[in-house]
Amino acid sequence: MLETFRLARFRFTVSAKEHIRFPSYKGSAFRGGFGYAFKRVVCVIKGKECDDCLLKQKCIYSYIFETPPPQDTEILRLYPKVPHPFVIEPPITEKQTFEPGETFSFHLILIGNAIDYLPYFIYTFTELGKQGIGQGRGKYDLLHVEGIGLEDEAIQIYNSKVQTLTNHYPIIQAHQLNHQNLVSVNEQGVETHNRIKQHQATSSSISPPCEGGDKGEVVKSDAIPLNHNNKINISILTPLRLRFDGHITDKIEFHVLIRNLLRRISSLSYFHCDEKFQVDFKGLIEKASAVKQIRSDTHWFDWKRYSTRQEEWMSLGGVTGAVSYEGDLSDFMLLLRLGEYVHVGKGTSFGLGKYKIL
């Protein structure tokens, strides 16, 4: 189950060159700015809509940002789009303005086959800094990029001073989230974690990227121990938009959360990790219905963004706060842990649906 599901998490650190002002939800500026810059970087046939483009089934922009289902897909055949293989996590801070010289960081999660296209993302975010972001299009410099492992260990993989990208960074496998830490005792009686030493990284110059670039190597890392207790606390860090019975709900019942996780993870696995998620969906949802919500301290965070493509304002509000559940959680911990990385619900590419298990 999920044997080929993999993801990589990266931290981008930038320095403001000009005054930058973000909207109340920063993910709108990052995702919107990235999409515009990304198309300028990789689009071959300028000025043509993706749906009418001859290259849409093989185009990197179409795969990453439009993400149409393959013509031979076995699932979601009637859907024009499937889940994007990336998540942009904006800075989690109430600070909206940054002055020249101030630094801030944001995160990027790439899923499955999209990991191969990391150089495109680095180059695009570099170009976005030159174009400007936020209200007034304030410019920034990309300083460096780090790969983040299971235990939040950071490996610098790109530095703007030398403009080289290593091909060695942490890749997290889904099954790593399903095991406990491997702990042994050395001759002095001190506990040590079994970690395979990382090899020295090689590097390559960063320029406008082309297909077939270096791929990240899997870095063996201690897996996170799962909590198999009957209670769990979840902190919702960015607006959570869960769909149930055809509409967005503000009631975060456990079975609703699991339904949305199953839908998202199974789609990501099929379209981006080349594996059909074989699981008893109906049985899991029935079990999830027996898990009770014992605490809810949530509120609705409302925000809107203007879509230039659709030429209309879009309401993308969602739930933030904290919830607690009680019941048999053993069958759901892998899904919940994986959801911490890939997010859940609508608007995940904006960074919506980020939560943390406490």
Side-chain angles (χ1 to χ4, degrees), residues 124-160:
T124 298
F125 279 118
T126 300
E127 291 299 299
L128 178 58
K130 298 175 183 178
Q131 298 170 21
I133 192 172
Q135 300 169 9
R137 293 189 178 276
K139 295 179 174 57
Y140 66 78
D141 285 325
L142 176 61
L143 300 181
H144 56 79
V145 180
E146 299 163 294
I148 309 298
L150 269 174
E151 296 181 338
D152 290 332
E153 67 274 20
I155 301 173
Q156 187 172 116
I157 61 172
Y158 173 76
N159 187 303
S160 62

PDB file of all heavy atoms in Angstrom, residues 124-160:
ATOM      1  N   THR A 124      12.129  29.243 -11.509  1.00  0.00           N
ATOM      2  CA  THR A 124      10.921  30.071 -11.580  1.00  0.00           C
ATOM      3  C   THR A 124      10.815  31.005 -10.386  1.00  0.00           C
ATOM      4  O   THR A 124      10.482  32.191 -10.537  1.00  0.00           O
ATOM      5  CB  THR A 124       9.666  29.186 -11.664  1.00  0.00           C
ATOM      6  OG1 THR A 124       9.730  28.399 -12.855  1.00  0.00           O
ATOM      7  CG2 THR A 124       8.404  30.032 -11.700  1.00  0.00           C
ATOM      8  N   PHE A 125      11.099  30.513  -9.177  1.00  0.00           N
ATOM      9  CA  PHE A 125      11.030  31.390  -8.009  1.00  0.00           C
ATOM     10  C   PHE A 125      12.134  32.451  -8.048  1.00  0.00           C
ATOM     11  O   PHE A 125      11.962  33.545  -7.506  1.00  0.00           O
ATOM     12  CB  PHE A 125      11.099  30.573  -6.719  1.00  0.00           C
ATOM     13  CG  PHE A 125       9.778  29.968  -6.326  1.00  0.00           C
ATOM     14  CD1 PHE A 125       9.620  28.592  -6.254  1.00  0.00           C
ATOM     15  CD2 PHE A 125       8.690  30.774  -6.045  1.00  0.00           C
ATOM     16  CE1 PHE A 125       8.398  28.031  -5.904  1.00  0.00           C
ATOM     17  CE2 PHE A 125       7.463  30.230  -5.691  1.00  0.00           C
ATOM     18  CZ  PHE A 125       7.317  28.854  -5.623  1.00  0.00           C
ATOM     19  N   THR A 126      13.257  32.139  -8.687  1.00  0.00           N
ATOM     20  CA  THR A 126      14.289  33.158  -8.902  1.00  0.00           C
ATOM     21  C   THR A 126      13.764  34.252  -9.822  1.00  0.00           C
ATOM     22  O   THR A 126      13.924  35.453  -9.556  1.00  0.00           O
ATOM     23  CB  THR A 126      15.556  32.522  -9.503  1.00  0.00           C
ATOM     24  OG1 THR A 126      16.062  31.527  -8.614  1.00  0.00           O
ATOM     25  CG2 THR A 126      16.637  33.574  -9.729  1.00  0.00           C
ATOM     26  N   GLU A 127      13.121  33.847 -10.911  1.00  0.00           N
ATOM     27  CA  GLU A 127      12.553  34.808 -11.855  1.00  0.00           C
ATOM     28  C   GLU A 127      11.408  35.601 -11.229  1.00  0.00           C
ATOM     29  O   GLU A 127      11.248  36.795 -11.496  1.00  0.00           O
ATOM     30  CB  GLU A 127      12.058  34.075 -13.107  1.00  0.00           C
ATOM     31  CG  GLU A 127      13.176  33.494 -13.959  1.00  0.00           C
ATOM     32  CD  GLU A 127      14.107  34.582 -14.468  1.00  0.00           C
ATOM     33  OE1 GLU A 127      13.639  35.481 -15.200  1.00  0.00           O
ATOM     34  OE2 GLU A 127      15.301  34.549 -14.109  1.00  0.00           O
ATOM     35  N   LEU A 128      10.603  34.942 -10.384  1.00  0.00           N
ATOM     36  CA  LEU A 128       9.512  35.639  -9.709  1.00  0.00           C
ATOM     37  C   LEU A 128      10.055  36.764  -8.837  1.00  0.00           C
ATOM     38  O   LEU A 128       9.454  37.842  -8.737  1.00  0.00           O
ATOM     39  CB  LEU A 128       8.699  34.658  -8.865  1.00  0.00           C
ATOM     40  CG  LEU A 128       7.539  35.243  -8.049  1.00  0.00           C
ATOM     41  CD1 LEU A 128       6.540  35.962  -8.952  1.00  0.00           C
ATOM     42  CD2 LEU A 128       6.840  34.147  -7.245  1.00  0.00           C
ATOM     43  N   GLY A 129      11.213  36.532  -8.211  1.00  0.00           N
ATOM     44  CA  GLY A 129      11.835  37.582  -7.406  1.00  0.00           C
ATOM     45  C   GLY A 129      12.208  38.797  -8.228  1.00  0.00           C
ATOM     46  O   GLY A 129      12.134  39.936  -7.755  1.00  0.00           O
ATOM     47  N   LYS A 130      12.600  38.567  -9.476  1.00  0.00           N
ATOM     48  CA  LYS A 130      12.949  39.680 -10.367  1.00  0.00           C
ATOM     49  C   LYS A 130      11.704  40.426 -10.836  1.00  0.00           C
ATOM     50  O   LYS A 130      11.743  41.636 -11.050  1.00  0.00           O
ATOM     51  CB  LYS A 130      13.727  39.157 -11.574  1.00  0.00           C
ATOM     52  CG  LYS A 130      15.055  38.501 -11.225  1.00  0.00           C
ATOM     53  CD  LYS A 130      15.705  37.897 -12.462  1.00  0.00           C
ATOM     54  CE  LYS A 130      16.996  37.168 -12.113  1.00  0.00           C
ATOM     55  NZ  LYS A 130      17.601  36.527 -13.314  1.00  0.00           N
ATOM     56  N   GLN A 131      10.589  39.692 -11.009  1.00  0.00           N
ATOM     57  CA  GLN A 131       9.339  40.304 -11.462  1.00  0.00           C
ATOM     58  C   GLN A 131       8.616  41.020 -10.331  1.00  0.00           C
ATOM     59  O   GLN A 131       7.919  42.006 -10.548  1.00  0.00           O
ATOM     60  CB  GLN A 131       8.430  39.230 -12.059  1.00  0.00           C
ATOM     61  CG  GLN A 131       8.996  38.540 -13.290  1.00  0.00           C
ATOM     62  CD  GLN A 131       8.175  37.328 -13.699  1.00  0.00           C
ATOM     63  OE1 GLN A 131       7.005  37.207 -13.341  1.00  0.00           O
ATOM     64  NE2 GLN A 131       8.781  36.423 -14.453  1.00  0.00           N
ATOM     65  N   GLY A 132       8.766  40.495  -9.125  1.00  0.00           N
ATOM     66  CA  GLY A 132       8.105  41.085  -7.972  1.00  0.00           C
ATOM     67  C   GLY A 132       6.876  40.300  -7.553  1.00  0.00           C
ATOM     68  O   GLY A 132       6.263  39.585  -8.348  1.00  0.00           O
ATOM     69  N   ILE A 133       6.513  40.437  -6.281  1.00  0.00           N
ATOM     70  CA  ILE A 133       5.415  39.671  -5.713  1.00  0.00           C
ATOM     71  C   ILE A 133       4.616  40.546  -4.764  1.00  0.00           C
ATOM     72  O   ILE A 133       5.122  41.525  -4.211  1.00  0.00           O
ATOM     73  CB  ILE A 133       5.964  38.423  -4.963  1.00  0.00           C
ATOM     74  CG1 ILE A 133       4.837  37.453  -4.605  1.00  0.00           C
ATOM     75  CG2 ILE A 133       6.751  38.830  -3.724  1.00  0.00           C
ATOM     76  CD1 ILE A 133       5.338  36.132  -4.039  1.00  0.00           C
ATOM     77  N   GLY A 134       3.356  40.205  -4.584  1.00  0.00           N
ATOM     78  CA  GLY A 134       2.508  40.938  -3.658  1.00  0.00           C
ATOM     79  C   GLY A 134       2.005  42.246  -4.238  1.00  0.00           C
ATOM     80  O   GLY A 134       2.180  42.543  -5.424  1.00  0.00           O
ATOM     81  N   GLN A 135       1.378  43.045  -3.380  1.00  0.00           N
ATOM     82  CA  GLN A 135       0.845  44.333  -3.804  1.00  0.00           C
ATOM     83  C   GLN A 135       1.999  45.279  -4.135  1.00  0.00           C
ATOM     84  O   GLN A 135       2.872  45.515  -3.317  1.00  0.00           O
ATOM     85  CB  GLN A 135      -0.033  44.910  -2.698  1.00  0.00           C
ATOM     86  CG  GLN A 135      -1.217  44.017  -2.341  1.00  0.00           C
ATOM     87  CD  GLN A 135      -1.930  44.464  -1.083  1.00  0.00           C
ATOM     88  OE1 GLN A 135      -1.662  45.538  -0.555  1.00  0.00           O
ATOM     89  NE2 GLN A 135      -2.849  43.637  -0.596  1.00  0.00           N
ATOM     90  N   GLY A 136       2.014  45.796  -5.349  1.00  0.00           N
ATOM     91  CA  GLY A 136       3.111  46.657  -5.777  1.00  0.00           C
ATOM     92  C   GLY A 136       4.275  45.905  -6.376  1.00  0.00           C
ATOM     93  O   GLY A 136       5.260  46.516  -6.794  1.00  0.00           O
ATOM     94  N   ARG A 137       4.192  44.576  -6.392  1.00  0.00           N
ATOM     95  CA  ARG A 137       5.236  43.726  -6.986  1.00  0.00           C
ATOM     96  C   ARG A 137       6.631  44.059  -6.442  1.00  0.00           C
ATOM     97  O   ARG A 137       7.551  44.410  -7.177  1.00  0.00           O
ATOM     98  CB  ARG A 137       5.226  43.846  -8.511  1.00  0.00           C
ATOM     99  CG  ARG A 137       3.969  43.274  -9.158  1.00  0.00           C
ATOM    100  CD  ARG A 137       4.111  43.212 -10.668  1.00  0.00           C
ATOM    101  NE  ARG A 137       2.939  42.618 -11.293  1.00  0.00           N
ATOM    102  CZ  ARG A 137       2.727  41.313 -11.438  1.00  0.00           C
ATOM    103  NH1 ARG A 137       3.621  40.464 -10.971  1.00  0.00           N
ATOM    104  NH2 ARG A 137       1.636  40.866 -12.027  1.00  0.00           N
ATOM    105  N   GLY A 138       6.776  43.909  -5.140  1.00  0.00           N
ATOM    106  CA  GLY A 138       8.081  44.104  -4.522  1.00  0.00           C
ATOM    107  C   GLY A 138       9.031  42.975  -4.888  1.00  0.00           C
ATOM    108  O   GLY A 138       8.660  41.803  -4.886  1.00  0.00           O
ATOM    109  N   LYS A 139      10.261  43.322  -5.188  1.00  0.00           N
ATOM    110  CA  LYS A 139      11.239  42.331  -5.654  1.00  0.00           C
ATOM    111  C   LYS A 139      12.011  41.722  -4.485  1.00  0.00           C
ATOM    112  O   LYS A 139      12.157  42.329  -3.424  1.00  0.00           O
ATOM    113  CB  LYS A 139      12.199  42.974  -6.656  1.00  0.00           C
ATOM    114  CG  LYS A 139      11.521  43.422  -7.954  1.00  0.00           C
ATOM    115  CD  LYS A 139      12.512  44.074  -8.885  1.00  0.00           C
ATOM    116  CE  LYS A 139      11.871  44.387 -10.244  1.00  0.00           C
ATOM    117  NZ  LYS A 139      10.684  45.242 -10.126  1.00  0.00           N
ATOM    118  N   TYR A 140      12.516  40.508  -4.712  1.00  0.00           N
ATOM    119  CA  TYR A 140      13.326  39.823  -3.712  1.00  0.00           C
ATOM    120  C   TYR A 140      14.442  39.053  -4.404  1.00  0.00           C
ATOM    121  O   TYR A 140      14.410  38.826  -5.619  1.00  0.00           O
ATOM    122  CB  TYR A 140      12.472  38.872  -2.862  1.00  0.00           C
ATOM    123  CG  TYR A 140      11.891  37.689  -3.618  1.00  0.00           C
ATOM    124  CD1 TYR A 140      12.674  36.572  -3.937  1.00  0.00           C
ATOM    125  CD2 TYR A 140      10.554  37.667  -4.008  1.00  0.00           C
ATOM    126  CE1 TYR A 140      12.148  35.485  -4.624  1.00  0.00           C
ATOM    127  CE2 TYR A 140      10.018  36.591  -4.696  1.00  0.00           C
ATOM    128  CZ  TYR A 140      10.824  35.499  -5.001  1.00  0.00           C
ATOM    129  OH  TYR A 140      10.302  34.427  -5.687  1.00  0.00           O
ATOM    130  N   ASP A 141      15.448  38.646  -3.618  1.00  0.00           N
ATOM    131  CA  ASP A 141      16.515  37.758  -4.088  1.00  0.00           C
ATOM    132  C   ASP A 141      16.348  36.403  -3.417  1.00  0.00           C
ATOM    133  O   ASP A 141      16.167  36.330  -2.192  1.00  0.00           O
ATOM    134  CB  ASP A 141      17.898  38.322  -3.731  1.00  0.00           C
ATOM    135  CG  ASP A 141      18.300  39.487  -4.611  1.00  0.00           C
ATOM    136  OD1 ASP A 141      17.943  39.474  -5.803  1.00  0.00           O
ATOM    137  OD2 ASP A 141      18.965  40.412  -4.099  1.00  0.00           O
ATOM    138  N   LEU A 142      16.414  35.338  -4.197  1.00  0.00           N
ATOM    139  CA  LEU A 142      16.438  33.999  -3.622  1.00  0.00           C
ATOM    140  C   LEU A 142      17.847  33.730  -3.103  1.00  0.00           C
ATOM    141  O   LEU A 142      18.814  33.778  -3.860  1.00  0.00           O
ATOM    142  CB  LEU A 142      16.052  32.957  -4.675  1.00  0.00           C
ATOM    143  CG  LEU A 142      16.137  31.489  -4.242  1.00  0.00           C
ATOM    144  CD1 LEU A 142      15.204  31.206  -3.071  1.00  0.00           C
ATOM    145  CD2 LEU A 142      15.819  30.564  -5.418  1.00  0.00           C
ATOM    146  N   LEU A 143      17.976  33.463  -1.803  1.00  0.00           N
ATOM    147  CA  LEU A 143      19.287  33.258  -1.189  1.00  0.00           C
ATOM    148  C   LEU A 143      19.731  31.804  -1.265  1.00  0.00           C
ATOM    149  O   LEU A 143      20.807  31.496  -1.763  1.00  0.00           O
ATOM    150  CB  LEU A 143      19.267  33.722   0.271  1.00  0.00           C
ATOM    151  CG  LEU A 143      18.926  35.190   0.509  1.00  0.00           C
ATOM    152  CD1 LEU A 143      18.961  35.501   2.003  1.00  0.00           C
ATOM    153  CD2 LEU A 143      19.877  36.104  -0.255  1.00  0.00           C
ATOM    154  N   HIS A 144      18.892  30.904  -0.761  1.00  0.00           N
ATOM    155  CA  HIS A 144      19.257  29.489  -0.798  1.00  0.00           C
ATOM    156  C   HIS A 144      18.021  28.618  -0.636  1.00  0.00           C
ATOM    157  O   HIS A 144      16.952  29.087  -0.229  1.00  0.00           O
ATOM    158  CB  HIS A 144      20.305  29.147   0.272  1.00  0.00           C
ATOM    159  CG  HIS A 144      19.894  29.513   1.674  1.00  0.00           C
ATOM    160  ND1 HIS A 144      19.038  28.748   2.431  1.00  0.00           N
ATOM    161  CD2 HIS A 144      20.231  30.560   2.459  1.00  0.00           C
ATOM    162  CE1 HIS A 144      18.867  29.300   3.614  1.00  0.00           C
ATOM    163  NE2 HIS A 144      19.574  30.407   3.665  1.00  0.00           N
ATOM    164  N   VAL A 145      18.187  27.345  -0.965  1.00  0.00           N
ATOM    165  CA  VAL A 145      17.117  26.355  -0.866  1.00  0.00           C
ATOM    166  C   VAL A 145      17.648  25.168  -0.075  1.00  0.00           C
ATOM    167  O   VAL A 145      18.782  24.723  -0.297  1.00  0.00           O
ATOM    168  CB  VAL A 145      16.642  25.885  -2.260  1.00  0.00           C
ATOM    169  CG1 VAL A 145      15.518  24.859  -2.125  1.00  0.00           C
ATOM    170  CG2 VAL A 145      16.197  27.066  -3.113  1.00  0.00           C
ATOM    171  N   GLU A 146      16.832  24.655   0.841  1.00  0.00           N
ATOM    172  CA  GLU A 146      17.211  23.499   1.652  1.00  0.00           C
ATOM    173  C   GLU A 146      16.195  22.376   1.462  1.00  0.00           C
ATOM    174  O   GLU A 146      14.991  22.629   1.337  1.00  0.00           O
ATOM    175  CB  GLU A 146      17.253  23.874   3.135  1.00  0.00           C
ATOM    176  CG  GLU A 146      18.263  24.953   3.475  1.00  0.00           C
ATOM    177  CD  GLU A 146      17.992  25.566   4.834  1.00  0.00           C
ATOM    178  OE1 GLU A 146      16.940  26.220   4.979  1.00  0.00           O
ATOM    179  OE2 GLU A 146      18.823  25.371   5.746  1.00  0.00           O
ATOM    180  N   GLY A 147      16.677  21.141   1.442  1.00  0.00           N
ATOM    181  CA  GLY A 147      15.809  19.979   1.492  1.00  0.00           C
ATOM    182  C   GLY A 147      15.551  19.631   2.945  1.00  0.00           C
ATOM    183  O   GLY A 147      16.481  19.626   3.759  1.00  0.00           O
ATOM    184  N   ILE A 148      14.294  19.355   3.289  1.00  0.00           N
ATOM    185  CA  ILE A 148      13.909  19.101   4.679  1.00  0.00           C
ATOM    186  C   ILE A 148      13.505  17.638   4.828  1.00  0.00           C
ATOM    187  O   ILE A 148      12.642  17.142   4.100  1.00  0.00           O
ATOM    188  CB  ILE A 148      12.741  20.007   5.113  1.00  0.00           C
ATOM    189  CG1 ILE A 148      13.049  21.475   4.782  1.00  0.00           C
ATOM    190  CG2 ILE A 148      12.458  19.834   6.598  1.00  0.00           C
ATOM    191  CD1 ILE A 148      14.255  22.033   5.486  1.00  0.00           C
ATOM    192  N   GLY A 149      14.121  16.946   5.785  1.00  0.00           N
ATOM    193  CA  GLY A 149      13.862  15.531   5.988  1.00  0.00           C
ATOM    194  C   GLY A 149      12.751  15.256   6.986  1.00  0.00           C
ATOM    195  O   GLY A 149      12.065  16.161   7.474  1.00  0.00           O
ATOM    196  N   LEU A 150      12.592  13.980   7.322  1.00  0.00           N
ATOM    197  CA  LEU A 150      11.513  13.539   8.203  1.00  0.00           C
ATOM    198  C   LEU A 150      11.547  14.205   9.575  1.00  0.00           C
ATOM    199  O   LEU A 150      10.511  14.474  10.172  1.00  0.00           O
ATOM    200  CB  LEU A 150      11.595  12.020   8.391  1.00  0.00           C
ATOM    201  CG  LEU A 150      10.813  11.144   7.412  1.00  0.00           C
ATOM    202  CD1 LEU A 150      11.132   9.686   7.668  1.00  0.00           C
ATOM    203  CD2 LEU A 150       9.325  11.390   7.535  1.00  0.00           C
ATOM    204  N   GLU A 151      12.743  14.422  10.087  1.00  0.00           N
ATOM    205  CA  GLU A 151      12.870  15.010  11.420  1.00  0.00           C
ATOM    206  C   GLU A 151      13.236  16.488  11.342  1.00  0.00           C
ATOM    207  O   GLU A 151      13.859  17.039  12.249  1.00  0.00           O
ATOM    208  CB  GLU A 151      13.902  14.232  12.232  1.00  0.00           C
ATOM    209  CG  GLU A 151      13.475  12.793  12.499  1.00  0.00           C
ATOM    210  CD  GLU A 151      14.484  12.034  13.335  1.00  0.00           C
ATOM    211  OE1 GLU A 151      15.665  12.451  13.368  1.00  0.00           O
ATOM    212  OE2 GLU A 151      14.094  11.039  13.956  1.00  0.00           O
ATOM    213  N   ASP A 152      12.866  17.117  10.237  1.00  0.00           N
ATOM    214  CA  ASP A 152      13.125  18.535   9.995  1.00  0.00           C
ATOM    215  C   ASP A 152      14.608  18.857   9.859  1.00  0.00           C
ATOM    216  O   ASP A 152      15.009  20.024   9.982  1.00  0.00           O
ATOM    217  CB  ASP A 152      12.498  19.412  11.091  1.00  0.00           C
ATOM    218  CG  ASP A 152      10.977  19.430  11.003  1.00  0.00           C
ATOM    219  OD1 ASP A 152      10.457  19.261   9.887  1.00  0.00           O
ATOM    220  OD2 ASP A 152      10.319  19.601  12.044  1.00  0.00           O
ATOM    221  N   GLU A 153      15.436  17.838   9.609  1.00  0.00           N
ATOM    222  CA  GLU A 153      16.842  18.116   9.332  1.00  0.00           C
ATOM    223  C   GLU A 153      16.951  18.781   7.961  1.00  0.00           C
ATOM    224  O   GLU A 153      16.247  18.411   7.023  1.00  0.00           O
ATOM    225  CB  GLU A 153      17.682  16.836   9.381  1.00  0.00           C
ATOM    226  CG  GLU A 153      17.414  15.814   8.294  1.00  0.00           C
ATOM    227  CD  GLU A 153      16.286  14.852   8.601  1.00  0.00           C
ATOM    228  OE1 GLU A 153      15.447  15.179   9.465  1.00  0.00           O
ATOM    229  OE2 GLU A 153      16.231  13.784   7.965  1.00  0.00           O
ATOM    230  N   ALA A 154      17.806  19.795   7.868  1.00  0.00           N
ATOM    231  CA  ALA A 154      17.909  20.595   6.648  1.00  0.00           C
ATOM    232  C   ALA A 154      19.244  20.354   5.950  1.00  0.00           C
ATOM    233  O   ALA A 154      20.298  20.336   6.592  1.00  0.00           O
ATOM    234  CB  ALA A 154      17.750  22.074   6.969  1.00  0.00           C
ATOM    235  N   ILE A 155      19.182  20.157   4.634  1.00  0.00           N
ATOM    236  CA  ILE A 155      20.371  19.998   3.800  1.00  0.00           C
ATOM    237  C   ILE A 155      20.327  21.073   2.726  1.00  0.00           C
ATOM    238  O   ILE A 155      19.399  21.102   1.913  1.00  0.00           O
ATOM    239  CB  ILE A 155      20.411  18.607   3.138  1.00  0.00           C
ATOM    240  CG1 ILE A 155      20.395  17.504   4.190  1.00  0.00           C
ATOM    241  CG2 ILE A 155      21.632  18.475   2.233  1.00  0.00           C
ATOM    242  CD1 ILE A 155      20.261  16.112   3.602  1.00  0.00           C
ATOM    243  N   GLN A 156      21.304  21.975   2.735  1.00  0.00           N
ATOM    244  CA  GLN A 156      21.309  23.028   1.717  1.00  0.00           C
ATOM    245  C   GLN A 156      21.634  22.417   0.356  1.00  0.00           C
ATOM    246  O   GLN A 156      22.640  21.729   0.195  1.00  0.00           O
ATOM    247  CB  GLN A 156      22.316  24.125   2.053  1.00  0.00           C
ATOM    248  CG  GLN A 156      22.206  25.313   1.098  1.00  0.00           C
ATOM    249  CD  GLN A 156      23.053  26.502   1.519  1.00  0.00           C
ATOM    250  OE1 GLN A 156      23.986  26.885   0.823  1.00  0.00           O
ATOM    251  NE2 GLN A 156      22.723  27.081   2.675  1.00  0.00           N
ATOM    252  N   ILE A 157      20.764  22.673  -0.620  1.00  0.00           N
ATOM    253  CA  ILE A 157      20.943  22.072  -1.943  1.00  0.00           C
ATOM    254  C   ILE A 157      21.192  23.115  -3.028  1.00  0.00           C
ATOM    255  O   ILE A 157      21.604  22.773  -4.132  1.00  0.00           O
ATOM    256  CB  ILE A 157      19.717  21.220  -2.328  1.00  0.00           C
ATOM    257  CG1 ILE A 157      18.451  22.084  -2.385  1.00  0.00           C
ATOM    258  CG2 ILE A 157      19.535  20.068  -1.348  1.00  0.00           C
ATOM    259  CD1 ILE A 157      17.250  21.358  -2.942  1.00  0.00           C
ATOM    260  N   TYR A 158      20.934  24.389  -2.706  1.00  0.00           N
ATOM    261  CA  TYR A 158      21.160  25.444  -3.691  1.00  0.00           C
ATOM    262  C   TYR A 158      21.546  26.723  -2.969  1.00  0.00           C
ATOM    263  O   TYR A 158      20.962  27.076  -1.938  1.00  0.00           O
ATOM    264  CB  TYR A 158      19.906  25.688  -4.532  1.00  0.00           C
ATOM    265  CG  TYR A 158      20.024  26.885  -5.455  1.00  0.00           C
ATOM    266  CD1 TYR A 158      20.770  26.816  -6.627  1.00  0.00           C
ATOM    267  CD2 TYR A 158      19.405  28.093  -5.140  1.00  0.00           C
ATOM    268  CE1 TYR A 158      20.894  27.917  -7.465  1.00  0.00           C
ATOM    269  CE2 TYR A 158      19.520  29.195  -5.973  1.00  0.00           C
ATOM    270  CZ  TYR A 158      20.268  29.104  -7.134  1.00  0.00           C
ATOM    271  OH  TYR A 158      20.399  30.194  -7.954  1.00  0.00           O
ATOM    272  N   ASN A 159      22.563  27.404  -3.511  1.00  0.00           N
ATOM    273  CA  ASN A 159      23.005  28.680  -2.969  1.00  0.00           C
ATOM    274  C   ASN A 159      23.164  29.647  -4.134  1.00  0.00           C
ATOM    275  O   ASN A 159      23.843  29.337  -5.119  1.00  0.00           O
ATOM    276  CB  ASN A 159      24.333  28.510  -2.218  1.00  0.00           C
ATOM    277  CG  ASN A 159      24.746  29.764  -1.488  1.00  0.00           C
ATOM    278  OD1 ASN A 159      24.881  30.825  -2.083  1.00  0.00           O
ATOM    279  ND2 ASN A 159      24.960  29.639  -0.182  1.00  0.00           N
ATOM    280  N   SER A 160      22.545  30.807  -4.029  1.00  0.00           N
ATOM    281  CA  SER A 160      22.547  31.742  -5.153  1.00  0.00           C
ATOM    282  C   SER A 160      23.933  32.300  -5.454  1.00  0.00           C
ATOM    283  O   SER A 160      24.197  32.737  -6.576  1.00  0.00           O
ATOM    284  CB  SER A 160      21.580  32.900  -4.870  1.00  0.00           C
ATOM    285  OG  SER A 160      22.002  33.634  -3.723  1.00  0.00           O
TER     286      SER A 160
END
